[in-house]
Each structure stands twice: as structure tokens, then as C-alpha cells.
């Protein structure tokens, strides 16, 4: 299945995956003296993360940036301080987990989650935000030891939780998930609508990898469970961090070996085959809403479609 070799859209970036220019510098996470010096350095920059949101602000030249401050202006916290890395100029970056975002004197900044901010921020700022949000999600959900039940404490600048009762160390969790665009012998694409989505919203199929399962097997199982379609050849395309709350999306193109669709009715309410002409017409008329935003789903569909997806035609 040659998906990428001649596709004009193949080199367009996938949201949240562009090189950030940040060295995570993991070797410093256990060096308390280095971390203390980094925190007090005048060039260090800090931002607050709370409930998956950060503050962003629009600049006079039309860019959108993370709201960051020097460490000496940052809100006080002793434990929920996460070291994110350094850039090529030696600037150190930290995130602070707080119960709420701080207010701004100028009132120009606004709170935003990754789905909005990820499309607006630079690769550096988006990479920092993804890292911080993923750590915050994990920290909030894993405060107790899964071995003995005692409360754990933060270590390694936010990248380990350590149990002082039994000595267990717990590391940030990432759940692998597969997301795939399935095509048939006629090169039609299979798109589905989840039961909780608004009417007309269609996207690629997706699901979690189960214990003891390869990702290729997971692709075939999820497609069959959700749409009743069997899959043969599977081609890996790209991955995308997806901390909602803790996934890594693994993107694939898959070739169907059957075409009859039978949805499960629990996750997928409707699934249909679309030719490129079918999809263009359905989008332009407003019959369906295609995947948009930062999700890799939009890029998978574009890879098959061969160019950016069309926009709905204006209504008269």
C-alpha cells in the first residue's frame, strides 16, 4: 500500500508533532542542586498549568504565545514544579501545577486547552504545553501507590511518584491507541460517527491497544468490532501525543478485505464508505463535518484525499 510516496500532502505537519527545539535534559531531573540553580536563574521561564489549560496571549505581530514569567515572578509552590527542559540558548523551562490559573493585570491573556492552543502556538510552546499537560494529568490521577495504597510523593522534577511506605516508584503512564483510515478495493474511505458526536460529524475509526496485543492486530480488531469490516494490510503513518488524558495516537492506513458495514451501535452509530467525490460533495453541502483541528485523523483523511479537505460552500 503506497500511501506516502507521491502524496502532495505527505510533508504537511501533524499537530503537536513538530520538533520543539527543547532538550528534555532528563539527566538533570534527579540533580536537586542543578534544578535549584536552574529555577533561580534569571533567564528561566515558567508557566502555570491547571486542569489541562494554560494562559495564552496574542502578540502585536499576530502570533500567539504561552504566557510565561521569570521564576521569581511565578506563583509559589514547593512540590508541583515540573522541569520540562532547555532550549538551544540555555533557557530552562518549568511548569507549575496549580488549582487555578493566575489572573493577569492587563486582562489580555486567556485560558486555553490543547485543542485550541495546539493550533495557535509555535512548535516550542506547543511542545512545552503537551509535556506539561501530560504530566499534570498523570499527577492528578496517580497520587496513591498502586502496590500498597499509601500516598506517593513527587520526585525527578515531576517525572516520578515515589512511595515512601513500600519504596515503589511510579512513572508517567502513556496508553497506546490506534487510529486508522480504512480503504477498500475501490479506494473508498471508511468514516464513522461516534454515538456522542453531533449529527453529521464523521472521522476515522480508533481504539486502544489491549494487553498482549500488537498494534497491527489492534487495528484489525477495532475496525471489525466497530464497523464489522475485516482488514488485511496495515501501514504505519505517524504518531501523535494525545494527553486527553494520557494517550499516544498511532496512525495507520489499512486495507479492507470486506466491504459490508455493521456498526456496533455502542461506540459507532453510523459508518459509511466515501469516494473522494462523495466526500467532497458531502463536505461542501454540509451533509458531513470532517475531522478538523489538531487531531491526526484529519491528516490521515488528507493523505488519502490527496490535498487539503474542501470547505463547506456558503449558504445562500
Amino acid at each position: 500500500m503506497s500511501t506516502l510516496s507521491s502524496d502532495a500532502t505527505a510533508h504537511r505537519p501533524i499537530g503537536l508533532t513538530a520538533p520543539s527545539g527543547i532538550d528534555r535534559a532528563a539527566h538533570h531531573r534527579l540533580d536537586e542542586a542543578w534544578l535549584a540553580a536552574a529555577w533561580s536563574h534569571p533567564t528561566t521561564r515558567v508557566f502555570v498549568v491547571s486542569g489541562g489549560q494554560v494562559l495564552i496571549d496574542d502578540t502585536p505581530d499576530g502570533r500567539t504565545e504561552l504566557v510565561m514569567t521569570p521564576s521569581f515572578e511565578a506563583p509559589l509552590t514547593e512540590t508541583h514544579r515540573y522541569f520540562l527542559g532547555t532550549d538551544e540558548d540555555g533557557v530552562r523551562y518549568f511548569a507549575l501545577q496549580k488549582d487555578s490559573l493566575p489572573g493577569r493585570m492587563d486582562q489580555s491573556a486567556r485560558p486555553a486547552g490543547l485543542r485550541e492552543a495546539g493550533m495557535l502556538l509555535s512548535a516550542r510552546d506547543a511542545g512545552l504545553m503537551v509535556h506539561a499537560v501530560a504530566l499534570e494529568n498523570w499527577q492528578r490521577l496517580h497520587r496513591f501507590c498502586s502496590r500498597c495504597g499509601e500516598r506517593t510523593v513527587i520526585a525527578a522534577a515531576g517525572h516520578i511518584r515515589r512511595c515512601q511506605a513500600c519504596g515503589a516508584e511510579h512513572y508517567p503512564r502513556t496508553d497506546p491507541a490506534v487510529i486508522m483510515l480504512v480503504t477498500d478495493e475501490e479506494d473508498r474511505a471508511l468514516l464513522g460517527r461516534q454515538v456522542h458526536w453531533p449529527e453529521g460529524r464523521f472521522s476515522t475509526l480508533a481504539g486502544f491497544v489491549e494487553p498482549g496485543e500488537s498494534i497491527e492486530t489492534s487495528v484489525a480488531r477495532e475496525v471489525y468490532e466497530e464497523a464489522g469490516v475485516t482488514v488485511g494490510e496495515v501501514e504505519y503513518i505517524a504518531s501523535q501525543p494525545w494527553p486527553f488524558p494520557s494517550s499516544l495516537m498511532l496512525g495507520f492506513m489499512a486495507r479492507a478485505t470486506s466491504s459490508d458495514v455493521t456498526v456496533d451501535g455502542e461506540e459507532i452509530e453510523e459508518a459509511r464508505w466515501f469516494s473522494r467525490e462523495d466526500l467532497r460533495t458531502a463536505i461542501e453541502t454540509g451533509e458531513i463535518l470532517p475531522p478538523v483541528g489538531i487531531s491526526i485523523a484529519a491528516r490521515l483523511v488528507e493523505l488519502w484525499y490527496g490535498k487539503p479537505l474542501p470547505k463547506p460552500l456558503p449558504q445562500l
Side-chain angles (χ1 to χ4, degrees), residues 30 138-139 153-162 168-172:
L30 294 172
W138 173 67
Q139 294 282 359
V153 296
I154 296 173
H159 295 77
I160 293 175
R161 290 194 73 97
R162 187 172 288 139
E169 289 188 344
H170 305 280
Y171 295 85

Side-chain angles (χ1 to χ4, degrees), residues 184-205:
D184 67 0
E185 292 181 349
E186 301 175 41
D187 205 23
R188 298 179 300 172
L190 180 65
L191 301 179
R193 185 170 72 83
Q194 293 190 17
V195 294
H196 62 273
W197 285 354
E199 191 68 28
R201 172 70 69 194
F202 278 77
S203 187
T204 55
L205 303 183

